[in-house]
């Protein structure tokens, strides 16, 4: 599809005036109904970039346009109806059931002090179904496993019905089965019209699902483009600061480290 749903131009952000910039002159566009992986090592600035897109942080310089309008021009309710975030983890102070917690995703559509109605609860139940955990509806959040909690966080974001879904390292702490489930959900969201952007330090996860890659290191974008353009041994080696080889096996991209560990 032509055009861009998000345009990020010359974005720079620092956590304090004396600190090194966490994001430096970052620019790239996101096409609608695609999956973009922001790929890089820990400390590359990936999470900070997602928080800037969501409007949780304000850039020092540069701009973020959503539907050709500055993100800063949206009210918090309007922005929450357009962009959702699935964090790596979240502190949950109350013993919500999974259904109660997922229903919190309806907050952008409710007025002050307005309680969720039947339609909101139905949407929450559908979100639980969409991520395959309807059976956990009445389970207490503290009783969930790490993988189950990650799917609940994803269901809450789906309940929000955003046009753009951001995910911060969504597969980082998952076993192989739950990782594959999460990537399959992202694939279905793309097919249904959602624009997906996720950060990851795992090249394999990016290669399995992404239409576009943004390579980051030290707060800067080293390269951005399609999988074939960017997912190369030279560019990944520069991103991770270590020599890697990219193998093509049965249509899949496999990254192999060329560094030998000492014994």
């Amino acid at each position: 599809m032509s055009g861009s749903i998000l345009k990020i131009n010359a974005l720079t952000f620092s956590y304090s005036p004396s600190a090194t910039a966490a994001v430096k002159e970052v620019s790239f566009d996101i096409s609608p109904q695609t999956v973009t992986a922001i790929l890089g090592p820990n400390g590359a600035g990936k999470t900070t970039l997602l928080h800037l897109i969501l409007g949780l942080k304000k850039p020092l310089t540069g701009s973020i346009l959503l539907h050709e309008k500055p993100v800063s021009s949206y009210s918090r309710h309007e922005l929450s109806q357009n962009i959702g975030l699935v964090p790596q983890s979240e502190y949950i102070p109350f013993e919500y059931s999974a259904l109660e917690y997922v229903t919190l995703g309806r907050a952008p559509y409710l007025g002050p002090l307005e309680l969720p109605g039947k339609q909101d609860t139905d949407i929450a139940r559908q979100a639980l179904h969409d991520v395959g955990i309807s059976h956990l509806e009445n389970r207490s959040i503290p009783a969930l496993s790490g993988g189950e909690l990650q799917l609940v966080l994803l269901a809450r974001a789906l309940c929000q019905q955003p046009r753009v879904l951001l995910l911060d390292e969504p597969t980082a702490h998952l076993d192989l089965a739950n990782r594959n489930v999460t990537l399959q959900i992202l694939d279905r969201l793309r097919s249904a019209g959602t624009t997906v952007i996720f950060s990851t330090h795992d090249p394999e996860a990016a290669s399995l699902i992404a239409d576009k890659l943004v390579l980051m290191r030290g707060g800067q974008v080293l390269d951005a483009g399609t999988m074939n353009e960017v997912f190369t041994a030279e560019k990944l080696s520069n991103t991770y600061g270590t020599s890697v080889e990219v193998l093509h096996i049965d249509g899949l991209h496999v990254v192999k480290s060329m560094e030998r560990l000492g014994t």
Side-chain angles (χ1 to χ4, degrees):
M1 183 175 291
S2 61
S4 300
I5 190 169
L6 270 173
K7 294 183 179 180
I8 297 166
N9 182 48
L11 209 62
T12 297
F13 173 83
S14 178
Y15 284 93
S16 73
S18 60
T20 301
V23 170
K24 309 172 189 175
E25 293 290 320
V26 165
S27 298
F28 58 90
D29 292 354
I30 300 291
S31 298
Q33 299 180 30
T34 58
V35 174
T36 297
I38 301 173
L39 179 63
N42 294 332
K46 304 185 298 295
T47 298
T48 300
L49 178 56
L50 293 183
H51 288 175
L52 286 164
I53 294 172
L54 191 61
L56 296 178
K57 294 178 171 59
K58 294 183 179 180
L60 295 176
T61 62
S63 63
I64 306 169
L65 300 182
L66 173 66
H67 301 301
E68 303 294 340
K69 291 174 51 182
V71 164
S72 59
S73 71
Y74 289 81
S75 70
R76 175 48 57 187
H77 260 56
E78 289 172 334
L79 197 57
S80 296
Q81 290 173 9
N82 279 276
I83 304 179
L85 172 68
V86 181
Q88 286 192 55
S89 61
E90 186 166 85
Y91 172 64
I92 303 171
F94 305 109
E95 285 205 20
Y96 293 108
S97 70
L99 177 62
E100 289 170 337
Y101 183 72
V102 170
T103 306
L104 294 178
R106 299 304 298 162
Y109 302 93
L110 302 176
L113 304 180
E114 182 181 358
L115 295 175
K118 182 181 182 302
Q119 182 180 10
D120 300 304
T121 302
D122 289 344
I123 292 171
R125 283 199 168 98
Q126 183 62 47
L128 287 167
H129 172 78
D130 289 344
V131 302
I133 54 173
S134 293
H135 61 288
L136 300 177
E137 175 180 315
N138 297 313
R139 185 81 60 84
S140 169
I141 292 293
L144 299 176
S145 69
E148 290 168 341
L149 178 58
Q150 192 66 28
L151 291 173
V152 168
L153 293 175
L154 178 53
R156 188 194 62 174
L158 298 188
C159 189
Q160 194 174 327
Q161 297 181 319
R163 294 173 175 83
V164 178
L165 181 62
L166 311 177
L167 303 99
D168 191 10
E169 296 279 1
T171 63
H173 306 295
L174 300 182
D175 59 29
L176 186 60
N178 278 319
R179 185 200 70 169
N180 290 342
V181 167
T182 298
L183 294 177
Q184 289 167 7
I185 292 167
L186 299 189
D187 187 30
R188 293 201 302 268
L189 288 172
R190 169 177 50 195
S191 298
T194 302
T195 302
V196 176
I197 306 167
F198 73 99
S199 68
T200 182
H201 62 266
D202 180 4
E204 183 178 348
S207 72
L208 289 172
I209 187 69
D211 301 300
K212 180 176 181 177
L213 293 180
V214 177
L215 300 182
M216 289 191 70
R217 182 178 178 86
Q220 296 178 299
V221 170
L222 302 184
D223 213 326
T226 65
M227 180 69 65
N228 289 335
E229 293 169 338
V230 177
F231 205 88
T232 68
E234 179 183 2
K235 292 179 179 180
L236 291 177
S237 295
N238 289 338
T239 300
Y240 288 96
T242 187
S243 180
V244 302
E245 181 182 3
V246 175
L247 307 176
H248 302 277
I249 302 174
D250 295 332
L252 299 176
H253 302 274
V254 178
V255 174
K256 177 182 177 183
S257 174
M258 300 301 291
E259 300 288 344
R260 290 185 178 272
L261 298 177
T263 57

